[in-house]
Amino acid sequence: MSEIKNYVLEITGKCGKCPSHLMDILIAVQNKFRHIPDEAIECISKELQMSKVDVEQTASFYHFFTEEPCGKYTVYLNNSAVACMMGRDKIAATFEKEVGCKFGNVTSDGLIGLYDTACIGMNDQEPAALINGVVFTSLNDQKVKQIVSAIKAGKAVNDLVTEFDGKENAEMKSEVKNNIRKRGPVLFAEYKNGASLKKLNEMTPDQVITEVKNSNIRGRGGAGFPTGLKWDFCSKAEVKERYVLCNADEGEPGTFKDRVLLTLFPQMVFEGMVLGGYAIGSQQGVLYLRAEYTYMLPRLEKLLAEMRTKNLLGKNVAGKQGFDFDIRIQMGSGAYVCGEETALIESAEGKRGEPRNRPPYPIERGYKNKPTIINNVETLCSVVQIIDKSSAWYRTFGTQYSSGTKLLSISGDCKFPGIYEIEWGITINEVLEMCGAENAQAVQVAGPSGVCISPKQFGRKLDFEDMPTGGSIIIIGQQRDLLKDVVLNFMDFFTDESCGSCVPCRALTPVLKKKLVKIMDGKGVKGDIDELVKLGKTMKDLNRCGLGQTAANPILTTIENFREKYEAMIKEPKTDGVYAFDMAASVKESCDYAGRKVIIHN
Amino acid sequence: MSDNKIKFTIDGKECIADEGLDLWKAAMLNGVFIPYLCHMKDVVPAGSCRICTVKVNGRPMAACTTLVTKGLEGAVVENDTPHIEEMRKMIVELLFVEGNHFCPACEKSGSCELQAMAYRYQMMVPQFSYNFPLREVDATTPKIYLDRNRCIQCKKCIRSIKDDQGRSYFAFYKRGHKLDIHIDHELAATMSAELAQLAMDGCPVGAIINKEKGFDVPIGKRKFDKEPIGTEFLNVTKE
Ligand SMILES: Cc1cc2nc3c(=O)[nH]c(=O)nc-3n(C[C@H](O)[C@H](O)[C@H](O)COP(=O)(O)O)c2cc1C
Ligand code: SF4
Ligand code: FES
């Protein structure tokens, strides 16, 4: 039997030949054989009793599954907007020179592959790359040279990391820094691990839900749905088998706060899931972790094992008779859309990450088609503090309608990129001062799917009434070309990350991008700007999920707030509909052939 | 189906429908045609073409994935408005430029729902420039000739054509603008003629074509030869 077949039999056997574990199986195959060989797909399909195309459907969806071998060492260099601002192109050139092949390729000996990847959650320490799952940050030419020569000498990538920012990162053998700039009053409030779970002995599930409701906390993942309400609905579902999912996909370019929470307070995240499980009457939780954070996996697994021995997971959790709850971790494999809650569920079930149609909502039919709550990492951590300290305490922070605090991930052109826990209601001007950003040209609030605002609006507030945010704040300095460095980069991102199901998301996004490039190339006419607005607005009306609905936002919000930048690129004549097009020059060649003179009648 | 009747209006027309139906079907039963491309009978809606988008109390929703519930009681649904129709025309145009649709050479011409939609919206030249993508034809299976140039990724074949163990003959490949349709060679090797016919008939365009026979519907008898798409719904009697 071939090695591939042997291996597939071993891992499919381990997971009970269950199609819902397809992601885990493919991840294992990719890691071992550095691609998903056709033979493996064939064998997996036999073992899981699926058709081969069905296995391929999942395998071909995710960025980190490759059809061809991607090198014994695979470098994924981030090419997000902030990475590029921080010098990604120069680093890429150095990689190419040292490695000896271009991006998108593997060296002829199959040793090293160079690839681009979307934001890896390291915007505060770019340029950064993933090499076989290990994160390398703040790259410079010197460092790249060292890494490449060590790899060529056959060293394990893990051993190349020698400096650690604190004991948590040392435990993960990771050079990622935490960059905590502001410790706020909620998430950084003192907390004794396990304390929230002890409360379960004094509280009924309904009391937990009431407390969460009273805190007025709304989801921290971006959509801002009231958490207590979500839990309440789910707890009243007819079906008793229920699930708690934690969204640790953190894919919105520019956010990295969940990375820091999972590094500093992983137990709080898990405890939040347990609380959710108790509240809704669930026995099983799943933490969906993005592939970029694979370096955290061993430490998280170890923690889960410890929690089991301390009876914080398992049977009669924390001494609460009759409450059994456990957690497993599901790895992703590179797809922004899998942060969307229903796509995440599909992915956790081993399928392509295509958002579901709603209704039914996950609270009715979610994971395994059972009632499910799904919450962001930060939401769950906040709930732990709420249960530990009370909703009244929580409500003392923030504003009347936006209670509590928010972790901001600040990056781009500022002196102090990193994590800030702020109270809702802070203005952009205050944010800029806090992070040492002077003379900003623009601020991208809430990532590419959010808004790009101009200095005129820096007095606006971050809260649910004015500008909500999942936490991504990107500062864009005067030296940047807003359209090229930011808007175009974001449009590329959405084009690549669309699941492809909805026609407008799949087909209109590239059209919008093309039109933008046309304008940037000086070939636009005045009507193109309004055309972009008109077409872009249909995206919100027509697409199924938040990705497609917001994919035109980079263009729409910059036209709204920086229209002059677009207009400056339109060449004369600037009147509507008149093309800056030289008819005589365009037909000259054919006229020459035909032996005719060029006569243009205007 | 439940006995609960829900009342609402579509473009001012009073409609009544059973709770639990999808809005697309409910509209049809009330003699209102909502354009569609990916919806099909008795199969869970995909909600992917988005051409059935209507506004329910001002909110855009895909009619095929919206259920008639108590929440719809008294709702004002907009279907045939200039804004919505303009967006629908745009979707048709996007599909035309995204693939390679050469109607005169296609066996489905005259029965093709995409073509019929283009006539409905009087599309002359799409407002977008053609992509002319390179898409491979897969003619390697015995019963079916899969012409990806014409595929509009409606997922109908994926959703409806399964073997007796529930395995899919068709599946998506990749994502976003690289999305493609694939057919399983092993399963297709033993595909029955009936199933192949079902796949071809279900395909709204000419992406799935049966081998061994062709052009067996004469001009004049094709689906949309006599009446434009949607006509058949306009005089439906209420169930
Ligand atoms: C394209 C897309 C990507 C998303 N990515 C994330 C993500 O990475 N993390 C997250 O928590 N929520 C993300 N969301 C929001 C989730 O769908 C969902 O609202 C959230 O996980 C709910 O948790 P919360 O209520 O605690 O915020 C995303 C939504 C969309 C549409
Ligand atoms: S909007 Fe885009 S990403 Fe979302 S479901 Fe539709 S095609 Fe997929
Ligand atoms: S028919 Fe409703 S989305 Fe296609």
Side-chain angles (χ1 to χ4, degrees), chain A residues 46 51-53 57 60-61 67 334 352 354 357 496-503 506 534 541-542 544, chain B residues 46-48 50 60 65 83 86 90 98 127 131 153 155 168 171-177 179 184 186:
Chain A
K46 290 274 165 329
S51 63
K52 200 176 151 195
V53 280
Q57 176 165 268
S60 64
F61 185 86
E67 236 168 295
R352 79 194 287 274
E354 181 178 318
N357 287 298
D496 288 344
E497 298 295 337
S498 162
C499 86
S501 184
C502 307
V503 177
R506 176 182 80 227
K534 193 175 125 206
D541 287 351
L542 290 176
R544 182 192 312 168
Chain B
S48 65
R50 315 306 290 175
T65 58
H83 176 233
E86 196 185 354
M90 181 195 76
E98 187 192 34
Q127 59 175 311
N131 286 359
Q153 278 114 358
K155 266 181 118 174
S168 318
F172 272 155
Y173 180 72
K174 299 206 169 166
R175 70 184 186 203
H177 60 295
L179 195 66
D184 193 277
E186 194 183 321

Side-chain angles (χ1 to χ4, degrees), chain A residues 49-55 57, chain B residues 157-172 182-188 191 195:
Chain A
Q49 300 196 2
M50 299 164 74
S51 63
K52 200 176 151 195
V53 280
D54 221 357
V55 177
Q57 176 165 268
Chain B
C157 56
I158 302 180
R159 288 180 289 152
S160 63
I161 307 297
K162 312 248 174 182
D163 75 352
D164 45 20
Q165 292 175 49
R167 292 180 297 184
S168 318
Y169 284 85
F170 296 90
F172 272 155
H182 277 199
I183 181 165
D184 193 277
H185 290 152
E186 194 183 321
L187 293 191
M191 192 177 204
L195 201 59

Side-chain angles (χ1 to χ4, degrees), chain A residues 219-223 225 230 247 249-252 336-337 339-341 374-376 379 546-547:
Chain A
R220 297 309 195 228
F225 193 85
K230 188 186 283 188
N247 190 339
D249 195 55
E250 187 152 71
E252 189 75 36
Y336 163 61
V337 71
E340 196 282 337
E341 54 188 19
I374 167 154
N375 281 111
N376 173 257
T379 312
L547 191 157

Side-chain angles (χ1 to χ4, degrees), chain A residues 357 544, chain B residues 24 34-40 45-53 62-65 154 159:
Chain A
N357 287 298
R544 182 192 312 168
Chain B
W24 184 86
I34 300 177
Y36 68 98
L37 281 171
C38 67
H39 200 30
M40 67 193 304
S48 65
C49 76
R50 315 306 290 175
I51 205 167
C52 69
T53 299
C64 69
T65 58
C154 65
R159 288 180 289 152

Side-chain angles (χ1 to χ4, degrees), chain A residues 541, chain B residues 23 50 52-56 59-66 72:
Chain A
D541 287 351
Chain B
L23 183 53
R50 315 306 290 175
C52 69
T53 299
V54 294
K55 286 193 178 169
V56 179
R59 238 185 108 195
M61 322 249 249
C64 69
T65 58
T66 302
L72 205 69

